[in-house]
Amino acid sequence: MMKQNLLVKIITLLPWLILFFIITELINANVAGVEGAKKSHGAYNNTNSLKLFVFGDSYVDTGNFLNSGSYNPPYGISFPGKPSGRFCDGLVLTDYVASFLKIKSPTPYALRNSTEVQYGLNFAHGGTGIFNTLVDGPNMSVQIDSFEKLIQQNVYTKHDLESSIALVNAGGNDYATFVLKNGSFQDIFVFTESLIKQMSLNLKRIHELGINKIAIGLLEPIGCVPMITMRSSYEKCDETSNLVSQNHSQMLLQIVQQLNKQMGKSVFMTLDLYNSFLSVIAKMQKRRAENSTVMNPLQPCCKGEDLKYFCGSVDNKGARKYSVCEKLESSLFWDTVHPSQNGWYEVYLMLQSSLGQLIQEKNF
Ligand SMILES: *[C@@H]1O[C@H](CO)[C@@H](O)[C@H](O)[C@H]1NC(C)=O
Ligand SMILES: *[C@@H]1O[C@H](CO)[C@@H](O)[C@H](O)[C@H]1NC(C)=O
Ligand SMILES: *[C@@H]1O[C@H](CO)[C@@H](O)[C@H](O)[C@H]1NC(C)=O
Ligand SMILES: *[C@@H]1O[C@H](CO)[C@@H](O)[C@H](O)[C@H]1NC(C)=O
Ligand SMILES: *[C@@H]1O[C@H](CO)[C@@H](O)[C@H](O)[C@H]1NC(C)=O
Ligand SMILES: *[C@@H]1O[C@H](CO)[C@@H](O)[C@H](O)[C@H]1NC(C)=O
């Protein structure tokens, strides 16, 4: 089924190579300053003891990747108005989930101090995965180790954890690493199985540490990120790549159902990023068909002047080598990999009914 001639393979591979180039460049970019990240922004006051603990990658990281491009302009231009360590122009999924729970977005683990842990902590780190990736950061197991250490130090009590929620999102960088190291999607199905197996162990561990509500992101349609859609001039998603996301998501869903059966209660629930992204894309494409001045959802808002550059690039004289679109407010993607604040908001709207399950059964 995956049999392809060499040319097709190379064409399939190319966007991933470029994708990795960009990820690497972003990471190697210099730090601009971290003051912005400490600013909290919750729209609500905390009226309960609920805490949110977050594990995973750049889609949920809010500032743990200190030496990355997420701390350089133009990241953070919409919120908080300067770079804050989010791989976005503003708020990301974690922030919207926290606002749904009526708590402040949890402090990034890298920026924590003893007075800032009452809303939980965010252990997610851009570029990382379930397994080790080409990015030198803590994989999800190591992120959970950090969480476990804090529990051993009594930073959180058993009661704290019983009324807490975990948000987990990873996998995209594992697939990028697989393709870049192996050269193709060959045997990807076997790899998906091993990824899901490890994810299952991670989820059980988070529960065993005392958290009774765990939301897990299904994999976004990786064939729709602009770095991949670029080769169709941003006209369509790559179906082969999306099949990988679809299979991953289906297997994850099955594992979650199995785990809940084992537990005899619904500890684990999924956030269907796969179908949410596709719905948002369809909605935006429809809007665009009626009004051609609306932003194409498969196009990045911020991008390099040419293939050598990326969102945030400057030359050795400090001159900008990127551009930011005018219609950021109607975009889905901020850069070539990450949704914009508007994109995350639209996706969040699709996830709201699922998120309701997190607070429905009152275990706190
Ligand atoms: C939040 O609640 C505390 C305690 O009730 C209060 O002192 C504080 O002013 C409130 N903060 C906001 C932003 O409403
Ligand atoms: C810890 O965070 C609080 C609240 O943001 C801040 O006032 C305080 O200065 C911080 N302490 C350290 C040691 O960073
Ligand atoms: C996570 O990273 C640690 C440290 O590099 C490594 O020992 C461990 O095997 C990794 N775990 C997985 C599941 O890949
Ligand atoms: C390369 O593919 C093999 C299976 O064919 C898999 O076991 C391995 O994990 C892959 N390498 C990476 C870096 O993902
Ligand atoms: C998707 O899943 C089917 C089995 O349900 C499998 O045969 C196929 O190889 C998988 N494809 C990918 C790209 O993982
Ligand atoms: C088309 O969309 C733009 C915003 O992108 C808006 O300013 C304009 O009013 C819209 N035109 C119509 C006819 O709806």
Side-chain angles (χ1 to χ4, degrees):
M1 239 185 293
M2 295 294 293
K3 239 184 209 166
Q4 295 163 310
N5 65 38
L6 186 62
L7 184 65
V8 173
K9 258 186 197 163
I10 290 168
I11 292 170
T12 307
L13 187 54
L14 193 60
W16 287 100
L17 288 168
I18 298 166
L19 174 68
F20 180 67
F21 171 74
I22 285 190
I23 290 171
T24 311
E25 286 301 315
L26 272 176
I27 286 157
N28 290 340
N30 288 328
V31 189
V34 301
E35 319 88 69
K38 292 213 171 182
K39 201 172 171 186
S40 58
H41 54 274
Y44 304 91
N45 207 341
N46 191 22
T47 53
N48 55 32
S49 59
L50 196 153
K51 300 180 196 319
L52 179 63
F53 295 97
V54 186
F55 305 91
D57 58 23
S58 58
Y59 274 20
V60 286
D61 185 357
T62 52
N64 282 313
F65 203 163
L66 298 178
N67 292 307
S68 71
S70 67
Y71 275 109
N72 283 348
Y75 286 78
I77 53 166
S78 302
F79 176 87
K82 55 184 173 179
S84 77
R86 289 174 174 81
F87 289 85
C88 186
D89 59 297
L91 302 173
V92 298
L93 182 59
T94 300
D95 303 304
Y96 286 112
V97 171
S99 80
F100 184 86
L101 299 173
K102 297 191 169 20
I103 59 172
K104 285 185 181 174
S105 198
T107 303
Y109 177 67
L111 304 176
R112 75 193 179 284
N113 78 27
S114 57
T115 63
E116 288 180 313
V117 299
Q118 74 263 37
Y119 305 106
L121 278 171
N122 187 347
F123 298 91
H125 190 288
T128 67
I130 297 164
F131 296 146
N132 286 339
T133 61
L134 299 172
V135 168
D136 185 22
N139 61 38
M140 199 189 290
S141 308
V142 173
Q143 293 174 22
I144 300 169
D145 291 345
S146 302
F147 179 47
E148 187 169 8
K149 263 180 221 143
L150 292 179
I151 295 169
Q152 284 162 355
Q153 292 163 7
N154 291 316
V155 173
Y156 296 107
T157 65
K158 194 168 179 288
H159 175 75
D160 283 338
L161 297 175
E162 274 168 2
S163 58
S164 292
I165 287 171
L167 171 65
V168 172
N169 187 77
N173 293 317
D174 292 290
Y175 287 107
T177 303
F178 179 96
V179 173
L180 289 164
K181 280 206 172 161
N182 278 341
S184 79
F185 274 141
Q186 202 170 351
D187 293 333
I188 196 78
F189 195 50
V190 179
F191 182 69
T192 298
E193 282 180 334
S194 63
L195 268 185
I196 299 291
K197 219 177 196 173
Q198 183 59 46
M199 178 65 114
S200 171
L201 295 173
N202 294 353
L203 295 177
K204 274 198 240 175
R205 228 182 119 200
I206 295 170
H207 177 52
E208 279 158 14
L209 288 171
I211 299 192
N212 288 317
K213 278 286 163 196
I214 303 171
I216 307 117
L218 300 184
L219 194 59
E220 69 279 2
I222 50 182
C224 298
V225 303
M227 199 31 74
I228 304 289
T229 61
M230 187 175 76
R231 73 168 194 258
S232 68
S233 308
Y234 305 115
E235 282 310 307
K236 57 179 199 290
C237 300
D238 177 64
E239 294 306 327
T240 308
S241 306
N242 278 358
L243 201 57
V244 173
S245 296
Q246 216 180 345
N247 275 7
H248 180 96
S249 296
Q250 268 169 16
M251 277 196 232
L252 193 49
L253 201 55
Q254 279 169 15
I255 280 289
V256 161
Q257 283 163 354
Q258 269 174 33
L259 286 174
N260 281 335
K261 222 180 228 175
Q262 278 173 28
M263 305 292 157
K265 54 181 176 177
S266 37
V267 171
F268 305 96
M269 48 99 42
T270 54
L271 298 175
D272 191 350
L273 294 187
Y274 184 79
N275 283 303
S276 300
F277 270 67
L278 291 185
S279 300
V280 170
I281 289 167
K283 185 174 132 190
M284 289 182 169
Q285 278 171 336
K286 187 163 171 277
R287 220 181 280 156
R288 188 161 179 256
E290 290 156 3
N291 182 347
S292 61
T293 70
V294 168
M295 177 93 182
N296 172 4
L298 301 179
Q299 205 168 353
C301 178
C302 179
K303 57 176 196 274
E305 263 178 19
D306 58 49
L307 283 180
K308 283 201 303 292
Y309 299 110
F310 46 91
C311 177
S313 282
V314 288
D315 66 15
N316 49 19
K317 293 186 191 110
R320 285 180 193 183
K321 290 291 172 186
Y322 63 88
S323 64
V324 176
C325 69
E326 279 173 17
K327 287 173 281 186
L328 178 53
E329 299 80 19
S330 72
S331 69
L332 172 56
F333 284 99
W334 161 244
D335 63 16
T336 51
V337 187
H338 304 102
S340 60
Q341 171 171 283
N342 177 63
W344 276 126
Y345 179 69
E346 295 280 348
V347 168
Y348 163 68
L349 293 181
M350 299 282 171
L351 297 173
Q352 266 185 338
S353 60
S354 301
L355 287 168
Q357 293 170 36
L358 284 176
I359 47 176
Q360 234 168 40
E361 297 153 54
K362 287 264 180 199
N363 48 7
F364 38 82

